[in-house]
Amino acid sequence: MAIKRSKVSVIGSGFTGATTALMMAQKELGDVVLVDIPDMEDPTKGKALDMLEASPVQGFDASIIGTANYEDTKDSDLVIITAGIARKPGMSRDDLVNTNAKIMKSVTKEIVNYSPDTYIVVLTNPVDAMTYTVFKESGLPKERVIGQSGVLDTARFRTFVAQELNLSVKDVTGFVLGGHGDDMVPLIRYSYAGGIPLEKLISKDRLDAIVERTRKGGGEIVGLLGNGSAYYAPAASLTVMAEAILKDQRRVLPSIAYLEGEYGYSDIYLGVPTVLGGKGIEEIIELDLTEDEKAALDKSADSVKNVLNVLE
Ligand SMILES: NC(=O)c1ccc[n+]([C@@H]2O[C@H](COP(=O)([O-])OP(=O)(O)OC[C@H]3O[C@@H](n4cnc5c(N)ncnc54)[C@H](O)[C@@H]3O)[C@@H](O)[C@H]2O)c1
Ligand SMILES: O=C(O)C[C@H](O)C(=O)O
């Protein structure tokens, strides 16, 4: 049998979907199918063609098509969901819940109809609850339905730490746990610059300020953009997760995973450290938490549960 390139479908061709499609094609992760609603079919085709025309200039090999027909997604190895509405200044991510839950249900039906064994990575907000909705609707095993928040939240944290210390972002590591809301939990104790614990390099006051800015990082961009939310760093985050799965890299990355007792929670999707590889979420890493860290994580999990409770 001939060896085939991977196929990745991106549902939603808006800011995050289109940017993710381009980043994945630039990294030659596979052929890309960009999908939107029928009313958006022509602009979606236009974006895909425009990206394809960048390929000779940048020297990447990938087919990129735009469509409103799910048949074109048939046999996707991986599907990324970015479809839905984004928040505007003054809104919380949770305000999007019922509109986006309906969209999750309808797109998930179509996805698994054409790709019954695929992996799905969800971006749409409120992402912890939307990942739960997609999991329930898809019937896929839990390790194949994954949400994105921690890679982005950790990237924001690393950016602010690198700025504070005037060091390369490459040398700063961190971990953000919990739901993708203002009470997410950046774990300072597990964060380093060049292997040195951050607590030895940055004062408590400054670290507290960095944690607060990280928690409100999405809102900071929403406020600046005025009409829409972040998309470059979210697309980069989705791309690294897609790469980890498609290339079976077994990367240690924070993902929104379905918990069955891990960290003391059950029947919930929440951000935790995971091993991401060719089987999707291959492991959930359970870190020892102090009482304060566990209390912060409980608060964040409660916020996610409150959103799950309003799901219609
Ligand atoms: N989890 C995260 O870290 C994170 C980061 C950034 C954005 N987001 C979320 O991602 C979502 C998308 O953000 P965006 O900036 O790309 O928004 P956008 O408005 O630019 O794009 C959304 C696209 O979804 C399409 N769409 C709507 N209903 C659809 C359906 N039924 N089928 C297919 N496509 C459909 C729209 O036509 C639009 O093109 C938002 O909910 C946003 O809050 C999450
Ligand atoms: O903040 C938002 O609404 C979008 C996204 O969740 C983000 O963190 O940038």
Side-chain angles (χ1 to χ4, degrees):
M1 210 170 71
I3 293 170
K4 286 206 297 199
R5 286 210 286 250
S6 296
K7 176 169 174 178
V8 186
S9 295
V10 181
I11 316 301
S13 67
F15 286 112
T16 57
T19 313
T20 306
L22 179 61
M23 286 187 183
M24 291 196 301
Q26 285 169 327
K27 287 187 80 83
E28 296 186 329
L29 295 188
D31 291 333
V32 181
V33 180
L34 193 54
V35 186
D36 212 294
I37 51 176
D39 277 358
M40 293 298 290
E41 184 163 19
D42 277 351
T44 302
K45 283 186 193 303
K47 286 182 190 185
L49 180 60
D50 190 15
M51 289 179 209
L52 190 64
E53 289 166 357
S55 65
V57 184
Q58 294 198 312
F60 61 84
D61 283 308
S63 129
I64 312 171
I65 63 160
T67 183
N69 182 353
Y70 279 85
E71 225 175 306
D72 294 322
T73 68
K74 190 172 165 37
D75 296 333
S76 293
D77 297 291
L78 180 80
V79 180
I80 291 176
I81 303 182
T82 74
I85 54 168
R87 64 173 162 157
K88 300 214 162 46
M91 290 172 83
S92 97
R93 297 178 182 94
D94 298 348
D95 296 334
L96 313 172
V97 63
N98 283 322
T99 305
N100 283 348
K102 285 194 191 91
I103 295 173
M104 292 307 97
K105 288 184 187 167
S106 75
V107 304
T108 302
K109 270 199 197 87
E110 296 278 12
I111 292 165
V112 293
N113 186 27
Y114 289 101
S115 305
D117 298 319
T118 195
Y119 294 81
I120 302 181
V121 181
V122 182
L123 186 81
T124 304
N125 273 320
V127 63
D128 304 273
M130 294 305 96
T131 311
Y132 184 92
T133 305
V134 171
F135 170 60
K136 292 287 174 187
E137 192 68 36
S138 69
L140 288 170
K142 61 179 181 173
E143 62 277 8
R144 285 176 180 253
V145 180
I146 306 154
Q148 187 306 117
S149 67
V151 176
L152 171 65
D153 297 327
T154 304
R156 288 183 174 141
F157 176 77
R158 291 171 61 199
T159 304
F160 304 147
V161 168
Q163 280 179 338
E164 178 77 16
L165 293 172
N166 193 20
L167 292 176
S168 165
V169 289
K170 291 179 190 159
D171 291 327
V172 179
T173 57
F175 248 112
V176 179
L177 301 189
H180 185 52
D182 291 354
D183 44 22
M184 66 180 75
V185 188
L187 277 188
I188 298 297
R189 257 182 347 115
Y190 289 98
S191 304
Y192 301 88
I196 305 163
L198 288 189
E199 284 154 314
K200 300 215 179 297
L201 298 171
I202 304 177
S203 69
K204 184 171 178 323
D205 281 2
R206 288 302 305 150
L207 273 173
D208 287 347
I210 289 171
V211 165
E212 198 48 25
R213 190 172 176 198
T214 302
R215 288 182 164 148
K216 307 265 171 65
E220 182 177 1
I221 305 274
V222 168
L224 289 167
L225 292 180
N227 185 21
S229 53
Y231 50 103
Y232 295 114
S237 305
L238 287 170
T239 302
V240 91
M241 293 175 79
E243 185 175 29
I245 296 167
L246 292 165
K247 294 189 179 169
D248 188 20
Q249 288 176 324
R250 285 184 57 79
R251 297 271 326 261
V252 179
L253 295 171
S255 309
I256 301 174
Y258 187 69
L259 303 184
E260 289 179 300
E262 296 90 347
Y263 289 93
Y265 311 114
S266 285
D267 195 30
I268 189 172
Y269 263 92
L270 197 65
V272 288
T274 60
V275 177
L276 265 196
K279 299 190 188 81
I281 294 184
E282 301 198 353
E283 286 171 41
I284 291 173
I285 299 171
E286 288 200 71
L287 301 170
D288 287 332
L289 299 181
T290 63
E291 256 177 47
D292 285 353
E293 289 163 351
K294 179 69 170 89
L297 192 57
D298 282 346
K299 184 168 177 239
S300 180
D302 282 345
S303 301
V304 173
K305 282 182 207 154
N306 289 338
V307 181
L308 289 175
N309 286 339
V310 303
L311 275 176
E312 284 163 356

